[in-house]
Amino acid sequence: MIKEITVLLDKPARKKGADKYTNKAGDFTIYIPQYISREINETPARKFKVTMEGE
């Protein structure tokens, strides 16, 4: 089983840590570390596609 969810930036991190992303329905939230969601000294990406794979 493969599930894809598009998440939008909900709340950027203030200093260090992770940026908060939520789907449109508001029933899925994920925190993405800044080293993934941002380029060096840049603003966070506005959206991501999260893919989950299960057995």
Side-chain angles (χ1 to χ4, degrees), residues 2-38:
I2 296 175
K3 181 78 173 177
E4 279 189 352
I5 299 173
T6 300
V7 292
L8 305 171
L9 180 64
D10 185 10
K11 185 176 181 183
R14 287 184 164 180
K15 294 182 182 178
K16 294 183 179 181
D19 298 309
K20 181 180 178 184
Y21 289 83
T22 306
N23 69 338
K24 285 187 180 181
D27 59 358
F28 181 82
T29 299
I30 188 168
Y31 290 85
I32 300 178
Q34 289 182 19
Y35 74 90
I36 295 172
S37 64
R38 303 174 185 221

